[in-house]
Amino acid sequence: MSNQDLIKFFLQIALMLGCALVMGQTMRRFRQPSVLGELIGGILLGPTILGWLFPDFFEWLFQSSLEVGILRDASIKMGMLFFLFIAGLEINFSNTNHVGRYAFFIGLFGTILPIAFGVGLVYLLPSALWGPIAQKNLIIFGLFIGINLANTANPVIIRILQDLGLLKKEIGLITLNATVIDDSITWTLFAIMLSFTHRPQAGEISLGADQTIFLILSFFILMLTFGRRFAPQALRFIRKSVSWPSGFIAFTTLAILLVASVAEFLGIHAFLGAFLLGAVVAGKHPEAEQAHTVISQFVMAFFAPIYFVSIGMKTNFIINFDFTLLTVILLSAIVSKFLSVLLGAKIAGMKINRRVFAIASGLNARGATGIILAGIGLSNGLIDERIFVSLFITAIITSVAAGPLMTYFLGEKKSISLTENDPSISTIQ
């Protein structure tokens, strides 16, 4: 790599990080998540704004060197492994025994039905709406749309519940733990779906469909059984044996890279391996909380902002904006999530009232994970740029609306337990 290319790389990262910092802090002033500002910053730096206003400068800095582009993308993907590890740490399986059948049925129906809705939507609507990529494999495309409709952003929900003082209330436990069911289903199905779209390169082993599914499910089961059983002991050993926090960060980096490599070898996306490792480590033990604190500071200050800026830079949002497509996807996402959550709550024996609508509002947030799914889909050729833009905007709108909708449905009783004034819901043990 030449000195000129190295300068370009440093300037790209500096400009992306600076824009993420400014826009992220701006959004915080309006009580919005900083990730929203980082995504907007990417739109400003990408072909939508910078490439339109100063095309020559944009071409020189971001598109004139293939080597710089490869290095930037590799650096961003490395950072994304850490971000999804953090996202996995938010998935606390330890709480699921305390929320009973309510969270289970809400999470189950709130995931399965939107996926089915997405598949049906793809088959029922005219193929011209979805574009030529969808026609290559309609069932895979339909599953991808369905997974995006079903997806729920666990980190966004945690932030909303904290702001509303609901995180440790029954309504918060039901909402949060329903996302555990949601994430378990969507990420497993997404991993299987990606494995069928992977084209083996020269020297790679080509597996049949049954072998692929068996390996993926075995990987998930082993990680979530033996991995979760031994993770607390491993963390305690590491905490006592290596320097803190530098040695712990190095050890965590090693684990993330190894698990991501295994996931990629099995045909699962490396990102999903990092996410699953985070879910394995997560829990109520002190070492998991310390791990979350240390790695979060490391990741959220540098890697995550650059990644989300890069997502906003992926395409021209003006040229690829399709109002009809956005309307279909946005309305489908909202309607399918609300109806499926209400059905799940009804089957679980809950009374359909404003509190259940509040739960549905929280679970309707797609957040950063929805944008990550869309980005992976675009990178793997599952969707075109029009679909990506619509999914991107849908994730932002549903995330921004989740908090105000929960507040509206709960009114002045947002911190009240679900069991108060509602005989249909008993205390969850």
Side-chain angles (χ1 to χ4, degrees):
M1 179 178 288
S2 66
N3 289 342
Q4 183 80 356
D5 285 341
L6 195 58
I7 291 171
K8 286 183 181 179
F9 174 71
F10 291 152
L11 287 176
Q12 286 181 17
I13 299 300
L15 187 58
M16 292 167 70
L17 187 59
C19 190
L21 179 62
V22 172
M23 296 304 299
Q25 292 302 313
T26 301
M27 286 297 105
R28 284 183 175 273
R29 290 180 179 273
F30 293 97
R31 296 188 58 81
Q32 295 296 326
S34 57
V35 65
L36 178 58
E38 293 158 6
L39 293 165
I40 294 174
I43 295 174
L44 294 176
L45 288 183
T48 308
I49 303 299
L50 184 63
W52 172 54
L53 294 176
F54 306 101
D56 293 338
F57 175 75
F58 177 78
E59 172 71 23
W60 174 81
L61 183 60
F62 289 107
Q63 296 184 328
S64 61
S65 173
L66 179 61
E67 289 185 347
V68 173
I70 294 173
L71 179 59
R72 182 188 69 240
D73 290 344
S75 302
I76 290 170
K77 288 178 179 177
M78 176 76 75
M80 203 54 227
L81 293 177
F82 286 94
F83 179 83
L84 280 171
F85 174 76
I86 295 297
L89 285 174
E90 304 284 3
I91 308 300
N92 190 350
F93 290 96
S94 301
N95 284 337
T96 54
N97 291 331
H98 301 288
V99 296
R101 66 182 183 276
Y102 304 124
F104 174 78
F105 280 105
I106 288 174
L108 180 65
F109 282 88
T111 306
I112 297 297
L113 293 185
I115 292 174
F117 188 95
V119 174
L121 193 71
V122 168
Y123 276 92
L124 289 175
L125 294 183
S127 59
L129 177 69
W130 306 113
I133 290 182
Q135 305 308 311
K136 296 180 180 178
N137 194 329
L138 206 59
I139 184 61
I140 292 294
F141 179 80
L143 281 173
F144 182 79
I145 294 298
I147 288 171
N148 275 270
L149 298 186
N151 171 64
T152 294
N154 187 276
V156 171
I157 291 174
I158 290 175
R159 174 66 181 273
I160 293 171
L161 294 174
Q162 286 176 333
D163 289 344
L164 297 180
L166 298 172
L167 194 58
K168 297 183 179 181
K169 303 291 183 179
E170 290 172 346
I171 186 173
L173 287 174
I174 291 174
T175 305
L176 187 58
N177 285 279
T179 68
V180 175
I181 307 299
D182 185 303
D183 287 334
S184 300
I185 296 173
T186 54
W187 286 95
T188 302
L189 184 59
F190 188 53
I192 293 173
M193 187 192 69
L194 277 180
S195 69
F196 288 115
T197 65
H198 176 71
R199 295 180 178 85
Q201 303 296 320
E204 289 186 356
I205 300 175
S206 180
L207 300 175
D210 54 344
Q211 294 173 309
T212 300
I213 294 176
F214 174 77
L215 285 176
I216 291 173
L217 292 179
S218 298
F219 179 69
F220 272 66
I221 292 171
L222 287 173
M223 289 287 288
L224 294 177
T225 53
F226 290 100
R228 282 193 57 77
R229 180 178 179 182
F230 294 109
Q233 295 94 315
L235 283 174
R236 282 193 287 271
F237 174 78
I238 297 166
R239 181 70 174 85
K240 296 176 181 177
S241 304
V242 302
S243 58
W244 192 271
S246 58
F248 175 76
I249 292 175
F251 194 93
T252 302
T253 302
L254 175 63
I256 291 173
L257 294 176
L258 288 176
V259 172
S261 298
V262 172
E264 194 73 31
F265 174 78
L266 294 176
I268 311 169
H269 202 289
F271 289 173
L272 304 181
F275 177 85
L276 192 59
L277 179 63
V280 166
V281 174
K284 283 191 171 182
H285 44 94
E287 290 79 11
E289 296 176 359
Q290 292 174 347
H292 186 280
T293 300
V294 172
I295 302 299
S296 292
Q297 293 173 350
F298 172 61
V299 172
M300 302 307 288
F302 179 72
F303 283 127
I306 290 178
Y307 176 78
F308 287 112
V309 168
S310 74
I311 289 182
M313 297 174 62
K314 281 183 177 292
T315 187
N316 189 313
F317 281 74
I318 296 176
I319 293 176
N320 292 293
F321 179 80
D322 187 322
F323 180 78
T324 301
L325 183 61
L326 172 62
T327 302
V328 169
I329 291 178
L330 178 61
L331 291 179
S332 298
I334 295 172
V335 171
S336 64
K337 179 62 76 171
F338 267 81
L339 290 180
S340 60
V341 168
L342 295 179
L343 179 59
K346 185 69 174 178
I347 292 175
M350 296 176 68
K351 182 179 179 181
I352 304 303
N353 56 20
R354 294 173 67 90
R355 296 185 182 95
V356 175
F357 274 92
I359 293 174
S361 300
L363 294 174
N364 190 48
R366 272 77 186 176
T369 51
I371 294 170
I372 291 169
L373 286 172
I376 295 175
L378 181 64
S379 299
N380 284 270
L382 300 178
I383 56 174
D384 60 27
E385 293 179 333
R386 296 180 314 112
I387 305 289
F388 170 77
V389 169
S390 295
L391 292 174
F392 182 104
I393 297 174
T394 295
I396 290 179
I397 292 176
T398 55
S399 300
V400 171
L405 282 175
M406 288 194 77
T407 302
Y408 168 76
F409 284 120
L410 293 174
E412 298 299 321
K413 300 180 181 181
K414 60 177 176 291
S415 61
I416 294 178
S417 166
L418 274 175
T419 59
E420 292 184 27
N421 302 321
D422 191 350
S424 68
I425 302 177
S426 58
T427 302
I428 301 171
Q429 301 297 329

